Amino acid sequence: MQVKWRNNLKNGWRYAALAPILLLNGCAGNPYWIFNPKGLMADTDLFYLILDVVIMGSIVGLTALLVIWFMWRYQKGKNRGKYDPTWSHSNTIEVFVWGIPIIAVGFLSWFAVKGTFEINPYNPTVITNHMKPNGDPVEVDVIATDWQWLFVYPQYHMAVANELVLPTHTPVFFRLTSTAVTTTFFIPQLVGMIDVMPGMRTKNALESNNMGEYQGIASDYAGAGTSWMTFKTKMLSSADFGQWVQKVQQSPTSMTYTSFNHYAEPYINVHHKVAYFSSVQNGLFDHVIDEVMNGKTWSIPPMMTENMVAYMQKQDAEHRD
Amino acid sequence: MLVDLAGGWNPMLGRLAWSQIPYDNPILAPLFVAVVIGTIIILGLITYYGKWTYLWKEWLTTVDHKKLGVMYIILGLVMLFRGFIDGLMIRTQQAWAVGTHSSGVFGATHGYLTPFHFGQVYSAHGLIMILLAATPLLVGFMNIIVPIQIGARDMAYPYLNALGLWITAAAGALIMISLFVGDFAHNGWFGYAPIFELQYSPGVGVDYWIWTMELVALGTTLGGINILATIIKMRAPGMSWGRLPIFVWASLSANVIALTSFPALQVALGLVAADRYLGAHFFTAGLGGNLMLYTNLFWIWGHPEVYFVILPAFGMMSEIFPTFSEKPLFGYITMVLASLAIAGVSWLVWLHHFFTMGAGPYVNSAFSVATMLVGIPTGVKVFNWAFTMYRGRLTFNAAMLWAIGALFLLLIGGLTGMMLAVPAINYMVHNSVFVVAHFHSMLLVIVYAIFASVIYWFPKVFGFKLDEFWAKTMFWLFSAGTTLVFVPMYMLGFMGMTRRLDYVFNTAWHPYLLVMEFGIVVYMISVLAFFALLYVSIRDHAKNRVGADAWGTSRSLEWLTHSPVPFYNFAVLPHISARDEVAWRRDNGIDHVQPDHYEDIHMPNNTGVAIILGGLTFVLGFALVWRIWWLCILSLLAIMALVIYRSFKGDPGYIITAAELEEMEKDAMCREAQIGKQHYRVGGGVLGDAIAYERSDLPPLASQPGSSVGLGHRS
Amino acid sequence: MSSPASNVDPKTAELWDKGHYQYDVIATRTLGYFMYLLSDGMLFATLFAAYGVLSYQHSYFGGPTPADFVKPWYTFVQTMALFLSVLAYGFGMNALKNKNKSGVISGLLAAFVLGVLFLMLDIHDMTHLASLGIGVATSGGMSAFIVLTQVHATHIFFGLIWILVMMAQVMTKGFTTDVVGRLLTLRMFWHLQAIIWVFVYVFVYLWGYMS
Ligand code: HEM
Ligand SMILES: [Cu+2]
Ligand SMILES: [Cu+2]
């Protein structure tokens, strides 16, 4: 019942309210990732966005019209409206002046709190309340380095760098940390942002029923390589996902605590390199957090990007392939 | 050396070395040459016209709140221009470096700025715009207007006022010198932990960032104390709290925020400095540090700061709407309460800047609701301005147009702010250009209000109006720029474009980035229009001379005294009888009644101590950045010695006798009577016939003050 | 008539001040100084908050905690030194009421000596810590401990210089408005530092000792 009401609101208002913007893009596909969610979390976010814009937008819009009307009506010399040089107070208007914002804010607050719990990254009720009783969630440990993403699949004892592949119709739970500096994990069409911080663990979750490929971004400035610290997220059917897992597990390379130390050195991923690791030493995620808490840093060379072209040549020469 | 540094250090020069001067940088080197040539030309002109003594006596050593205010505003405008150039550079990089096929020059793989340089540009842009453009501009206006509006002869502490200015100027100088000596921080204007730690930012950039902010914080705190004490203690007789002009209320609320919140910034950055200079572990990821602590401390200041800058802007709008609606402000008491409410609530919302850091839903909800509460008083203000226009008689001159522009921007900024306040929405647009568009809408409210005020109060300070045509032309160009830059930016936000990208990976965003680049060009033209405005207005100033009540419909006390305001503000302090005193006198036909007799007044002396202290703080900042320890100690000792010297010397002030006063007042009234007729020359200001008596025009001290009365001065 | 009604009759209204209006120079100065102290208090509040966040067990990172080296009696001596210094200053200010120059000077002198004693004890404490190999770089918790206590000590240091300056001014200038104003503000400063020390003593030293 509630869901239906929501869908109506969403579909109705989405296109009505945003028609002018959507028109601008015509048929070039929809570049508005935020208006075009493909996962439960992003979907919920859009619902609140539309709700907020409708409520606040109508107040703001009416106020704008009111101001424009006053500007037209009371322009000096036009004699359209009555000039009352002493009028500066009215209890009735004061009641509205305070009342309208109070009611609007009260109403929005209620929804804001509700929404916060629905998409709470640690326990998003939009996902957990509808979790299929026997559909096993997928777990992914995300480790951000300077400037790459490592996705560890503890259930499959494997890891993938700079590419995230997930099955549809399955809840996915993330644990996230970082080796060097703080950044933010963000897949606009699937799930909102969560910070990843060195020496700490945050969580997030997503679920999507739409197969496809979605852009993932490091959305907080983390130093020179941030702009290239992107990754593709592929949502596959369960069968395809199973095949993909097998493919990764056949990769010749593996990830140990020692090889991770090398992997985590600063690296700007300009060529969008993806790497598969068929096996991962157990507990890598917790190990990284421990190491960082013990003071391990992966510092960057001073002024490494003074001359980016030269640095890239150096990086290509020094680093793996 | 205290901590291990990458790169060299020696006891004489600290970290300073030739290699730190970017003479081989294709952008900075020519700029440096241009700056040097420009400086030589300006200095040459001053020498040629023999203005050094005038400059030193009337400006650099002044303690006159109006002149200090003017210098604050000039500083703000210069920094606004520098920040604007940074903005131009950011937009150009993003319009250029799109997609893998985009070209790169000057060592960048894409565009013309390497990531490290790009980071410096936007960090400097943000810091400059908020702390060295908006803040000094607003402080400048508060400095000029507040004392006159409450009927005082000066600020409570004129010498402290000068000190505040010169410390702020030192901060400006420090960030400017970072262009040519060393580099600037790349960690954004608010800084992220732990990227500003030595391991990830080994250069001096972050140190420049720390000490610039510390100096601004110091200067602003001193200024805030001064304005608060002035408002509380120096109101003219009859100026009760209920009659206080609304801009004064706004300044009061704003400075309460400044006074209580800047210490948090000082501590936050001081602790970063402890990490970087002493090897402490406040914000490191390991060894017991807590990097989230930094983010909290910073925004505990950061959010109140944004209200510190918007409240005076609200106050300006609340002065301008009634004047050009020819009726009193609607709901004065409501407006005052709203300002105070905003100041109060601004303390309770800081966490909305990092909803995504992973606090639990209870915490996030609480801060979300608190944030939205701010929307209530803000909404009330907008409604009250609307109802000020209702049943009014509106004149749409340039000042009014800028104020109305500010109102509409506030509507947009408020709408988007209320979106960001909901965590469920915030998760999607945080760290995206949507946030950037939100706060530029809000900061543009301030810029619009400032330009409105420049036009509105210019005649009060200089005695003639600015040119209407060019002021309006600038308004329309600027507004076109605003639309062209920020509408696409909001759209890009909804497309998921995140902020601070020095390389744009998605080519679908390119058209919008190009439109924004075009918008920046339009902004550039509006800057030219501003120069034209100044040129034409000064050229035609004789035509545009005005009397005390420059607009004929003005309301508050500053319009009672002459334009330009004499250095003693009021020959005899006014006795206040109504809330809009000038409107009340005008309506009762007593606005031309002049005092019938004068008495001696006591004024503070000029002092060179303030500007020297400012210079020394700059040296101290520079020495700290480069870790030149002997220079740190030396400049610190010099500062202490100078402060103690000044405290021994004191300032007896001087007396303007009743006779001198009467003479000057007669001249001023005579000049007012001549307006529109012919040039009437008095005094020796830059603009000759337009400027009132300056301090040095007084005959050599006729009378010595009787007793020592310290910093204060009596009527 | 575009002004809000004023209950003053314009015909008889007093328009200009008759020259009686004066404001109180000393009160204005103390108000301003009070506001400065408010911001100084905020500064310490922020430092205390930082200390609160960084005084969990894991903030010390297995290294030394205040419990390992704080000697309550030692800090108690410091407390007494500072309190007596404030008391001495108070006696000095009492003498000010009778314009008793030598009384003021001896009050200030006693306050100065006791303040120096406080500072010496603090410096001794810090060098002792350093000899144990404990410093700001030891751990987050120790950074917070040392920075908070030493920021307070720095305030005391500048206060001492100020006391010296005031002694010189009382001697050379006597009780001018300026000097009296400064003596009053210095008293406010000295009191605030003592109050803050109470918090440091209780929350940093004693609490650190016990946990
Ligand atoms: C109705 C009142 C307002 C609300 C509800 C509001 C809400 C918010 C929120 C929630 C954020 C955080 C966005 C994010 O990073 O995810 C934000 C950012 C910001 N707001 Fe506002 N805001 C309001 C008014 C203002 C005003 C008046 C100003 C100042 C002129 C302002 C300036 C800023 C700035 C500078 C930032 C971002 C700073 C940065 O990340 O670099 N806001 N606002
Ligand atoms: Cu900007
Ligand atoms: Cu905020």
Side-chain angles (χ1 to χ4, degrees):
Chain A
M1 169 58 207
Q2 204 205 10
V3 175
K4 196 167 154 221
W5 171 71
R6 282 192 173 192
N7 281 341
N8 286 344
L9 182 78
K10 211 148 49 189
N11 294 333
W13 283 104
R14 180 183 318 173
Y15 295 108
L18 308 168
I21 304 177
L22 295 182
L23 278 179
L24 281 176
N25 300 281
C27 20
N30 192 338
Y32 287 91
W33 288 339
I34 308 297
F35 298 148
N36 206 9
K38 296 290 182 194
L40 274 183
M41 297 284 270
D43 222 35
T44 314
D45 291 333
L46 179 62
F47 164 75
Y48 286 102
L49 193 150
I50 293 171
L51 189 80
D52 189 305
V53 172
V54 169
I55 295 173
M56 283 308 295
S58 44
I59 298 176
V60 164
L62 286 177
T63 314
L65 289 179
L66 194 72
V67 171
I68 293 171
W69 183 53
F70 288 167
M71 281 165 60
W72 172 83
R73 189 169 159 89
Y74 296 105
Q75 191 179 354
K76 189 173 187 170
K78 292 288 197 300
N79 290 326
R80 294 194 191 102
K82 184 168 132 281
Y83 173 49
D84 183 348
T86 53
W87 187 83
S88 68
H89 183 76
S90 149
N91 282 334
T92 331
I93 293 181
E94 292 279 1
V95 168
F96 279 99
V97 157
W98 286 90
I100 294 175
I102 288 176
I103 292 171
V105 165
F107 194 67
L108 279 178
S109 298
W110 192 71
F111 278 101
V113 173
K114 202 161 158 292
T116 309
F117 282 86
E118 284 179 5
I119 50 106
N120 167 20
Y122 289 79
N123 180 24
T125 55
V126 275
I127 294 180
T128 50
N129 282 356
H130 305 102
M131 218 138 73
K132 275 179 252 130
N134 46 5
D136 284 334
V138 171
E139 284 166 22
V140 181
D141 288 345
V142 182
I143 306 176
T145 61
D146 273 354
W147 294 274
Q148 300 186 75
W149 294 98
L150 184 68
F151 302 106
V152 181
Y153 293 73
Q155 290 150 322
Y156 306 101
H157 309 286
M158 60 179 215
V160 180
N162 305 318
E163 186 182 65
L164 179 59
V165 179
L166 298 168
T168 51
H169 300 279
T170 314
V172 183
F173 292 111
F174 298 100
R175 300 194 301 161
L176 310 94
T177 191
S178 158
T179 52
V181 303
T182 304
T183 186
T184 301
F185 175 83
F186 182 35
I187 313 173
Q189 288 181 284
L190 296 179
V191 62
M193 301 182 196
I194 188 76
D195 290 4
V196 291
M197 293 169 281
M200 269 172 274
R201 176 210 28 72
T202 48
K203 288 186 176 181
N204 211 352
L206 69 78
E207 183 174 342
S208 166
N209 302 334
N210 299 286
M211 284 183 278
E213 191 179 277
Y214 309 106
Q215 184 69 49
I217 308 173
S219 66
D220 218 342
Y221 181 72
T226 320
S227 299
W228 288 271
M229 197 175 160
T230 55
F231 59 93
K232 290 273 186 279
T233 308
K234 294 190 178 126
M235 299 301 308
L236 304 179
S237 67
S238 315
D240 287 349
F241 180 72
Q243 280 177 3
W244 175 81
V245 168
Q246 283 182 356
K247 197 177 105 195
V248 175
Q249 282 171 341
Q250 273 145 30
S251 147
T253 35
S254 63
M255 177 72 83
T256 62
Y257 291 178
T258 359
S259 65
F260 181 83
N261 271 343
H262 176 60
Y263 164 86
E265 276 162 23
Y267 180 79
I268 301 182
N269 191 18
V270 274
H271 305 300
H272 299 291
K273 220 171 40 106
V274 173
Y276 293 158
F277 303 96
S278 53
S279 72
V280 174
Q281 192 167 351
N282 271 342
L284 178 66
F285 185 85
D286 295 318
H287 172 75
V288 169
I289 293 185
D290 264 9
E291 283 237 294
V292 172
M293 283 180 65
N294 279 306
K296 178 151 181 59
T297 56
W298 282 266
S299 21
I300 60 164
M303 314 281 257
M304 66 180 295
T305 54
E306 266 307 90
N307 186 330
M308 182 82 174
V309 176
Y311 180 77
M312 289 322 300
Q313 280 160 0
K314 184 162 157 280
Q315 175 176 294
D316 286 352
E318 274 176 10
H319 267 262
R320 340 129 225 210
D321 46 270
Chain B
M1 248 174 72
L2 302 176
V3 286
D4 290 333
L5 295 171
W9 180 88
N10 71 61
M12 256 321 278
L13 290 174
R15 305 184 85 185
L16 204 55
W18 277 118
S19 59
Q20 296 284 359
I21 309 227
Y23 48 81
D24 54 349
N25 182 303
I27 302 168
L28 290 177
L31 184 64
F32 181 68
V33 175
V35 168
V36 169
I37 294 177
T39 315
I40 291 175
I41 290 178
I42 292 175
L43 298 186
L45 282 178
I46 298 175
T47 316
Y48 179 77
Y49 287 106
K51 289 287 181 197
W52 278 113
T53 337
Y54 169 75
L55 207 60
W56 177 256
K57 276 202 172 148
E58 287 297 343
W59 292 90
L60 301 183
T61 60
T62 188
V63 293
D64 179 341
H65 70 100
K66 299 171 289 298
K67 288 190 168 159
L68 291 172
V70 169
M71 284 188 285
Y72 260 119
I73 290 173
I74 293 173
L75 172 71
L77 286 175
V78 170
M79 296 313 285
L80 189 69
F81 187 68
R82 152 89 205 263
F84 168 73
I85 298 294
D86 287 336
L88 178 76
M89 291 175 74
I90 299 170
R91 290 266 57 81
T92 307
Q93 171 73 10
Q94 286 199 337
W96 179 347
V98 185
T100 41
H101 298 296
S102 56
S103 59
V105 295
F106 301 159
T109 43
H110 299 275
Y112 69 106
L113 291 171
T114 61
F116 192 64
H117 283 142
F118 185 74
Q120 294 182 45
V121 173
Y122 68 66
S123 307
H125 169 81
L127 195 160
I128 286 177
M129 284 306 204
I130 293 186
L131 282 171
L132 284 161
T135 304
L137 282 165
L138 296 166
V139 172
F141 274 105
M142 291 192 260
N143 239 303
I144 298 176
I145 301 303
V146 165
I148 320 184
Q149 275 195 338
I150 61 172
R153 291 240 159 76
D154 205 323
M155 293 282 225
Y157 323 110
Y159 157 67
L160 193 69
N161 199 10
L163 197 58
L165 167 74
W166 293 114
I167 291 178
T168 312
L174 201 58
I175 200 171
M176 292 305 262
I177 202 112
S178 77
L179 273 177
F180 306 122
V181 188
D183 45 47
F184 194 68
H186 63 131
N187 51 2
W189 75 278
F190 53 77
Y192 295 94
I195 200 173
F196 52 47
E197 297 286 349
L198 217 44
Q199 298 92 347
Y200 307 111
S201 302
V204 293
V206 176
D207 304 326
Y208 268 119
W209 171 78
I210 294 174
W211 300 115
T212 307
M213 294 251 254
E214 289 282 11
L215 287 188
V216 185
L218 182 61
T220 313
T221 312
L222 295 182
I225 291 174
N226 212 337
I227 290 175
L228 285 177
T230 309
I231 296 174
I232 296 173
K233 284 285 181 190
M234 313 254 307
R235 282 166 291 136
M239 181 63 86
S240 56
W241 290 105
R243 290 176 183 160
L244 221 50
I246 197 78
F247 180 69
V248 177
W249 273 113
S251 308
L252 182 87
S253 343
N255 281 299
V256 169
I257 298 180
L259 184 67
T260 48
S261 71
F262 269 93
L265 175 71
Q266 286 173 311
V267 169
L269 291 174
L271 300 187
V272 180
D275 277 8
R276 287 179 63 89
Y277 284 76
L278 308 172
H281 290 288
F282 282 102
F283 308 130
T284 52
L287 300 175
N290 186 335
L291 53 93
M292 297 186 291
L293 175 63
Y294 172 79
T295 316
N296 276 282
L297 290 183
F298 185 90
W299 287 113
I300 283 177
W301 163 78
H303 186 84
E305 159 69 13
V306 305
Y307 282 96
F308 168 65
V309 286
I310 201 91
L311 278 172
F314 286 170
M316 293 165 164
M317 292 160 76
S318 302
E319 293 286 343
I320 291 169
F321 284 127
T323 299
F324 299 113
S325 303
E326 303 187 19
K327 65 191 266 296
L329 182 69
F330 178 83
Y332 171 88
I333 293 177
T334 303
M335 282 304 229
V336 171
L337 291 180
S339 294
L340 296 174
I342 290 177
V345 181
S346 76
W347 261 98
L348 307 172
V349 302
W350 77 88
L351 193 130
H352 69 216
H353 291 274
F354 47 93
F355 280 138
T356 60
M357 206 156 78
Y362 291 97
V363 174
N364 276 358
S365 309
F367 278 92
S368 162
V369 173
T371 303
M372 287 196 270
L373 288 182
V374 182
I376 298 173
T378 312
V380 168
K381 292 209 168 242
V382 176
F383 285 131
N384 280 5
W385 291 324
F387 284 105
T388 301
M389 295 185 204
Y390 178 64
R391 296 194 185 161
R393 208 156 59 182
L394 310 187
T395 321
F396 296 111
N397 58 10
M400 185 72 164
L401 286 184
W402 282 102
I404 290 173
L407 195 159
F408 279 98
L409 279 163
L410 179 62
L411 287 175
I412 296 169
L415 171 67
T416 52
M418 291 296 278
M419 291 164 72
L420 289 166
V422 177
I425 306 173
N426 187 284
Y427 285 142
M428 276 292 157
V429 284
H430 173 68
N431 274 330
S432 78
V433 294
F434 184 83
V435 171
V436 181
H438 155 70
F439 67 74
H440 278 82
S441 301
M442 283 302 194
L443 291 164
L444 280 166
V445 172
I446 298 165
V447 175
Y448 273 63
I450 283 172
F451 279 117
S453 308
V454 167
I455 297 164
Y456 181 62
W457 277 310
F458 191 91
K460 186 82 265 173
V461 178
F462 291 104
F464 60 94
K465 285 188 188 174
L466 288 173
D467 186 83
E468 268 293 306
F469 170 78
W470 280 104
K472 282 186 176 161
T473 308
M474 183 192 171
F475 168 78
W476 290 114
L477 284 168
F478 198 90
S479 302
T482 304
T483 317
L484 285 167
V485 172
F486 292 104
V487 171
M489 198 183 282
Y490 276 120
M491 294 162 82
L492 283 172
F494 288 130
M495 293 182 199
M497 177 169 168
T498 50
R499 65 197 281 199
R500 307 197 154 132
L501 295 175
D502 55 277
Y503 160 72
V504 180
F505 54 81
N506 188 344
T507 45
W509 298 334
H510 203 186
Y512 303 86
L513 293 167
L514 288 175
V515 174
M516 288 154 83
E517 179 72 10
F518 177 63
I520 273 281
V521 174
V522 178
Y523 265 135
M524 190 67 181
I525 302 174
S526 83
V527 174
L528 297 181
F530 181 65
F531 291 138
L533 169 67
L534 289 184
Y535 171 75
V536 171
S537 310
I538 293 176
R539 190 190 63 196
D540 296 347
H541 69 267
K543 272 207 310 243
N544 298 326
R545 292 266 311 284
V546 292
D549 181 2
W551 302 101
T553 56
S554 31
R555 315 188 63 80
S556 41
L557 192 61
E558 75 270 29
W559 304 102
L560 187 67
T561 184
H562 314 292
S563 314
V565 185
F567 63 93
Y568 46 79
N569 288 3
F570 297 94
V572 176
L573 290 186
H575 199 287
I576 311 302
S577 311
R579 184 176 293 156
D580 289 345
E581 177 75 12
V582 167
W584 178 79
R585 291 193 185 196
R586 188 174 53 232
D587 293 341
N588 291 300
I590 48 176
D591 50 338
H592 287 294
V593 179
Q594 295 291 338
D596 44 17
H597 91 290
Y598 300 95
E599 282 185 27
D600 294 359
I601 54 182
H602 177 250
M603 297 291 292
N605 274 316
N606 284 3
T607 169
V609 174
I611 188 170
I612 299 175
L613 280 178
L616 286 171
T617 41
F618 169 78
V619 175
L620 178 61
F622 189 80
L624 281 168
V625 167
W626 292 98
R627 304 180 194 225
I628 313 174
W629 303 129
W630 64 267
L631 190 57
C632 289
I633 294 168
L634 204 67
S635 47
L636 199 62
L637 286 178
I639 289 172
M640 281 161 58
L642 204 56
V643 169
I644 292 174
Y645 161 79
R646 160 86 193 182
S647 132
F648 268 94
K649 196 166 146 281
D651 175 27
Y654 65 97
I655 299 279
I656 312 173
T657 61
E660 285 165 349
L661 209 54
E662 190 164 0
E663 182 79 7
M664 288 188 283
E665 282 293 294
K666 252 197 224 136
D667 261 348
M669 280 180 269
C670 193
R671 204 174 44 209
E672 241 149 56
Q674 300 281 334
I675 285 174
K677 289 181 192 158
Q678 62 179 82
H679 292 202
Y680 185 88
R681 196 181 163 83
V682 263
V686 204
L687 299 166
D689 49 350
I691 285 262
Y693 271 103
E694 298 199 281
R695 180 156 144 19
S696 50
D697 299 326
L698 271 187
L701 284 196
S703 39
Q704 287 298 333
S707 65
S708 68
V709 278
L711 288 173
H713 35 104
R714 301 171 305 189
S715 50
Chain C
M1 284 296 287
S2 65
S3 49
S6 164
N7 44 14
V8 182
D9 179 0
K11 291 194 196 70
T12 57
E14 194 182 337
L15 292 182
W16 304 99
D17 177 50
K18 293 262 162 31
H20 312 302
Y21 176 69
Q22 291 211 354
Y23 72 95
D24 186 338
V25 176
I26 291 199
T28 308
R29 167 186 282 214
T30 38
L31 173 78
Y33 199 76
F34 173 76
M35 288 191 286
Y36 159 71
L37 289 183
L38 197 72
S39 87
D40 203 38
M42 290 302 296
L43 192 133
F44 276 108
T46 318
L47 280 172
F48 273 109
Y51 180 76
V53 171
L54 291 178
S55 56
Y56 290 99
Q57 201 53 44
H58 60 79
S59 311
Y60 296 103
F61 206 69
T65 72
D68 299 334
F69 54 77
V70 167
K71 298 179 287 283
W73 60 266
Y74 187 95
T75 335
F76 182 72
V77 176
Q78 275 188 291
T79 311
M80 285 332 281
L82 199 55
F83 275 27
L84 290 176
S85 172
V86 169
L87 190 68
Y89 197 103
F91 283 132
M93 294 310 276
N94 250 349
L96 177 66
K97 290 199 186 105
N98 319 321
K99 302 260 182 241
N100 172 357
K101 235 184 191 180
S102 60
V104 174
I105 297 281
S106 35
L108 289 185
L109 190 64
F112 179 77
V113 171
L114 288 161
V116 170
L117 175 64
F118 173 90
L119 206 58
M120 298 302 287
L121 288 172
D122 177 76
I123 293 171
H124 177 262
D125 198 18
M126 280 301 125
T127 41
H128 173 65
L129 279 191
S131 70
L132 295 177
I134 304 174
V136 276
T138 306
S139 65
M142 283 317 298
S143 303
F145 177 88
I146 292 179
V147 168
L148 174 52
T149 53
Q150 295 319 297
V151 167
H152 179 264
T154 314
H155 277 78
I156 296 292
F157 172 74
F158 283 105
L160 289 174
I161 294 184
W162 193 0
I163 293 182
L164 279 185
V165 170
M166 285 326 294
M167 277 161 46
Q169 291 198 348
V170 170
M171 282 193 279
T172 55
K173 297 176 155 225
F175 298 120
T176 62
T177 318
D178 271 355
V179 172
V180 172
R182 287 185 194 127
L183 284 171
L184 289 172
T185 46
L186 176 55
R187 178 172 71 170
M188 293 159 69
F189 180 80
W190 212 231
H191 274 195
L192 181 76
Q193 299 315 322
I195 293 170
I196 286 171
W197 174 257
V198 174
F199 286 96
V200 175
Y201 183 53
V202 173
F203 288 110
V204 179
Y205 284 97
L206 290 187
W207 192 44
Y209 173 71
M210 289 186 298
S211 50

